[in-house]
Short mmCIF file of all heavy atoms in Angstrom, two decimals:
data_model
loop_
_atom_site.label_atom_id
_atom_site.label_comp_id
_atom_site.label_asym_id
_atom_site.label_seq_id
_atom_site.Cartn_x
_atom_site.Cartn_y
_atom_site.Cartn_z
N ARG A 140 5.39 -14.06 -5.45
CA ARG A 140 6.40 -14.11 -4.40
C ARG A 140 6.06 -13.07 -3.33
O ARG A 140 5.78 -11.92 -3.66
CB ARG A 140 7.77 -13.82 -5.01
CG ARG A 140 8.92 -14.39 -4.21
CD ARG A 140 10.27 -14.12 -4.87
NE ARG A 140 10.44 -14.77 -6.16
CZ ARG A 140 11.45 -14.50 -7.00
NH1 ARG A 140 12.36 -13.59 -6.69
NH2 ARG A 140 11.54 -15.14 -8.16
N ILE A 142 7.51 -11.15 -0.15
CA ILE A 142 8.86 -10.84 0.35
C ILE A 142 8.76 -9.86 1.50
O ILE A 142 8.13 -8.80 1.36
CB ILE A 142 9.71 -10.22 -0.77
CG1 ILE A 142 9.81 -11.18 -1.96
CG2 ILE A 142 11.09 -9.83 -0.25
CD1 ILE A 142 10.31 -10.51 -3.24
N PRO A 144 10.83 -7.22 3.26
CA PRO A 144 12.09 -6.52 3.01
C PRO A 144 12.68 -5.89 4.27
O PRO A 144 13.59 -5.06 4.17
CB PRO A 144 11.67 -5.44 2.00
CG PRO A 144 10.26 -5.10 2.41
CD PRO A 144 9.65 -6.37 3.00
N VAL A 154 6.26 -7.05 0.24
CA VAL A 154 6.15 -6.81 -1.20
C VAL A 154 5.47 -8.03 -1.81
O VAL A 154 5.86 -9.17 -1.52
CB VAL A 154 7.54 -6.62 -1.85
CG1 VAL A 154 7.40 -6.41 -3.35
CG2 VAL A 154 8.30 -5.48 -1.20
N TYR A 156 5.09 -9.70 -5.24
CA TYR A 156 5.87 -9.56 -6.48
C TYR A 156 5.48 -10.68 -7.45
O TYR A 156 5.48 -11.86 -7.06
CB TYR A 156 7.36 -9.64 -6.09
CG TYR A 156 8.35 -9.62 -7.22
CD1 TYR A 156 8.22 -8.78 -8.32
CD2 TYR A 156 9.48 -10.45 -7.16
CE1 TYR A 156 9.17 -8.77 -9.34
CE2 TYR A 156 10.44 -10.44 -8.17
CZ TYR A 156 10.28 -9.59 -9.25
OH TYR A 156 11.22 -9.59 -10.25
N PRO A 158 6.97 -11.92 -10.61
CA PRO A 158 8.15 -11.72 -11.47
C PRO A 158 7.84 -11.81 -12.96
O PRO A 158 8.28 -10.96 -13.74
CB PRO A 158 9.12 -12.83 -11.04
CG PRO A 158 8.62 -13.36 -9.75
CD PRO A 158 7.17 -13.00 -9.62
N ARG A 161 6.16 -8.78 -14.08
CA ARG A 161 6.95 -7.57 -13.81
C ARG A 161 6.16 -6.51 -13.03
O ARG A 161 6.22 -5.33 -13.32
CB ARG A 161 7.52 -7.01 -15.13
CG ARG A 161 8.29 -8.06 -15.92
CD ARG A 161 8.98 -7.50 -17.16
NE ARG A 161 10.00 -6.51 -16.84
CZ ARG A 161 11.21 -6.78 -16.38
NH1 ARG A 161 11.57 -8.04 -16.15
NH2 ARG A 161 12.07 -5.81 -16.13
N ALA A 163 5.10 -5.20 -9.01
CA ALA A 163 5.33 -5.24 -7.56
C ALA A 163 4.30 -4.37 -6.86
O ALA A 163 3.99 -3.26 -7.32
CB ALA A 163 6.74 -4.77 -7.21
N MET A 165 3.21 -2.80 -3.07
CA MET A 165 3.60 -2.55 -1.69
C MET A 165 2.73 -1.41 -1.17
O MET A 165 2.52 -0.42 -1.87
CB MET A 165 5.08 -2.20 -1.58
CG MET A 165 5.59 -2.24 -0.14
SD MET A 165 7.36 -1.92 -0.01
CE MET A 165 7.62 -2.40 1.72
N VAL A 188 14.28 3.07 4.44
CA VAL A 188 15.06 3.21 3.20
C VAL A 188 15.68 1.87 2.81
O VAL A 188 15.67 1.48 1.63
CB VAL A 188 16.14 4.31 3.35
CG1 VAL A 188 17.13 4.27 2.19
CG2 VAL A 188 15.49 5.69 3.44
N ALA A 189 16.21 1.14 3.79
CA ALA A 189 16.81 -0.17 3.49
C ALA A 189 15.78 -1.11 2.89
O ALA A 189 16.07 -1.87 1.95
CB ALA A 189 17.41 -0.76 4.76
N ALA A 190 14.55 -1.08 3.39
CA ALA A 190 13.48 -1.93 2.84
C ALA A 190 13.17 -1.53 1.40
O ALA A 190 12.98 -2.38 0.52
CB ALA A 190 12.23 -1.83 3.70
N LEU A 191 13.15 -0.22 1.14
CA LEU A 191 12.86 0.24 -0.23
C LEU A 191 14.02 -0.10 -1.18
O LEU A 191 13.79 -0.34 -2.37
CB LEU A 191 12.57 1.74 -0.25
CG LEU A 191 11.27 2.15 0.42
CD1 LEU A 191 11.06 3.66 0.32
CD2 LEU A 191 10.07 1.42 -0.19
N GLU A 192 15.24 -0.15 -0.65
CA GLU A 192 16.37 -0.59 -1.50
C GLU A 192 16.18 -2.05 -1.92
O GLU A 192 16.50 -2.43 -3.04
CB GLU A 192 17.71 -0.41 -0.77
CG GLU A 192 18.13 1.04 -0.57
CD GLU A 192 18.60 1.75 -1.86
OE1 GLU A 192 18.59 1.13 -2.95
OE2 GLU A 192 18.94 2.94 -1.77
N ARG A 193 15.62 -2.85 -1.02
CA ARG A 193 15.34 -4.25 -1.38
C ARG A 193 14.24 -4.35 -2.43
O ARG A 193 14.29 -5.18 -3.33
CB ARG A 193 14.99 -5.07 -0.14
CG ARG A 193 16.20 -5.31 0.75
CD ARG A 193 15.95 -6.40 1.76
NE ARG A 193 15.68 -7.69 1.13
CZ ARG A 193 15.21 -8.75 1.79
NH1 ARG A 193 14.96 -8.66 3.08
NH2 ARG A 193 14.97 -9.88 1.16
N LEU A 194 13.22 -3.47 -2.29
CA LEU A 194 12.18 -3.41 -3.33
C LEU A 194 12.82 -3.02 -4.67
O LEU A 194 12.55 -3.61 -5.71
CB LEU A 194 11.10 -2.41 -2.92
CG LEU A 194 10.06 -2.02 -3.97
CD1 LEU A 194 9.23 -3.24 -4.42
CD2 LEU A 194 9.12 -0.93 -3.42
N ASP A 195 13.68 -2.01 -4.63
CA ASP A 195 14.30 -1.50 -5.85
C ASP A 195 15.24 -2.52 -6.50
O ASP A 195 15.50 -2.45 -7.70
CB ASP A 195 15.06 -0.20 -5.53
CG ASP A 195 15.45 0.56 -6.79
OD1 ASP A 195 14.56 0.82 -7.62
OD2 ASP A 195 16.65 0.87 -6.95
N ALA A 196 15.73 -3.46 -5.69
CA ALA A 196 16.64 -4.48 -6.24
C ALA A 196 15.88 -5.55 -7.04
O ALA A 196 16.49 -6.34 -7.76
CB ALA A 196 17.42 -5.14 -5.10
N LEU A 197 14.56 -5.59 -6.92
CA LEU A 197 13.76 -6.55 -7.69
C LEU A 197 13.64 -6.06 -9.13
O LEU A 197 13.69 -4.87 -9.40
CB LEU A 197 12.37 -6.72 -7.07
CG LEU A 197 12.32 -7.20 -5.62
CD1 LEU A 197 10.87 -7.16 -5.11
CD2 LEU A 197 12.89 -8.61 -5.49
N ASP A 198 13.43 -7.01 -10.02
CA ASP A 198 13.34 -6.70 -11.44
C ASP A 198 11.85 -6.60 -11.83
O ASP A 198 11.17 -7.61 -11.89
CB ASP A 198 14.04 -7.83 -12.22
CG ASP A 198 14.17 -7.51 -13.69
OD1 ASP A 198 14.08 -6.32 -14.06
OD2 ASP A 198 14.36 -8.46 -14.47
N PHE A 199 11.36 -5.38 -12.01
CA PHE A 199 9.94 -5.21 -12.39
C PHE A 199 9.76 -3.90 -13.13
O PHE A 199 10.68 -3.07 -13.19
CB PHE A 199 9.04 -5.29 -11.15
CG PHE A 199 9.20 -4.17 -10.15
CD1 PHE A 199 8.39 -3.05 -10.19
CD2 PHE A 199 10.17 -4.25 -9.15
CE1 PHE A 199 8.54 -2.01 -9.28
CE2 PHE A 199 10.33 -3.21 -8.23
CZ PHE A 199 9.51 -2.09 -8.30
N ASP A 200 8.58 -3.70 -13.69
CA ASP A 200 8.26 -2.45 -14.41
C ASP A 200 7.18 -1.66 -13.70
O ASP A 200 7.24 -0.44 -13.61
CB ASP A 200 7.75 -2.76 -15.83
CG ASP A 200 8.81 -3.43 -16.68
OD1 ASP A 200 9.99 -3.03 -16.56
OD2 ASP A 200 8.47 -4.34 -17.45
N LYS A 212 8.81 1.45 -11.98
CA LYS A 212 9.87 1.15 -11.01
C LYS A 212 10.64 2.41 -10.58
O LYS A 212 11.05 2.54 -9.43
CB LYS A 212 10.81 0.11 -11.58
CG LYS A 212 11.73 -0.39 -10.50
CD LYS A 212 12.72 -1.41 -10.97
CE LYS A 212 13.67 -1.69 -9.81
NZ LYS A 212 14.82 -2.46 -10.25
N GLU A 213 10.84 3.35 -11.50
CA GLU A 213 11.65 4.53 -11.16
C GLU A 213 11.03 5.36 -10.03
O GLU A 213 11.73 6.13 -9.38
CB GLU A 213 11.94 5.40 -12.39
CG GLU A 213 10.75 5.74 -13.25
CD GLU A 213 10.56 4.78 -14.43
OE1 GLU A 213 10.89 3.56 -14.29
OE2 GLU A 213 10.08 5.22 -15.48
N VAL A 215 10.12 4.18 -7.26
CA VAL A 215 10.72 3.69 -6.01
C VAL A 215 11.99 4.49 -5.72
O VAL A 215 12.20 4.95 -4.60
CB VAL A 215 11.06 2.19 -6.10
CG1 VAL A 215 11.74 1.71 -4.82
CG2 VAL A 215 9.81 1.36 -6.39
N ARG A 216 12.82 4.66 -6.75
CA ARG A 216 14.06 5.43 -6.58
C ARG A 216 13.75 6.87 -6.17
O ARG A 216 14.39 7.43 -5.29
CB ARG A 216 14.88 5.36 -7.88
CG ARG A 216 16.20 6.11 -7.88
CD ARG A 216 17.11 5.79 -6.70
NE ARG A 216 17.38 4.38 -6.53
CZ ARG A 216 17.95 3.84 -5.45
NH1 ARG A 216 18.32 4.60 -4.42
NH2 ARG A 216 18.17 2.55 -5.37
N ILE A 219 12.91 6.87 -2.51
CA ILE A 219 14.13 6.70 -1.71
C ILE A 219 14.89 8.02 -1.67
O ILE A 219 15.37 8.44 -0.62
CB ILE A 219 15.02 5.58 -2.31
CG1 ILE A 219 14.34 4.21 -2.15
CG2 ILE A 219 16.40 5.59 -1.66
CD1 ILE A 219 15.04 3.07 -2.90
#
Side-chain angles (χ1 to χ4, degrees):
R140 204 179 295 170
I142 301 165
V154 179
Y156 176 42
R161 306 186 63 77
M165 193 177 192
V188 168
L191 291 181
E192 290 287 1
R193 289 195 62 192
L194 170 62
D195 193 52
L197 301 174
D198 188 19
F199 66 94
D200 297 321
K212 191 181 174 192
E213 48 266 33
V215 178
R216 180 51 54 192
I219 292 171

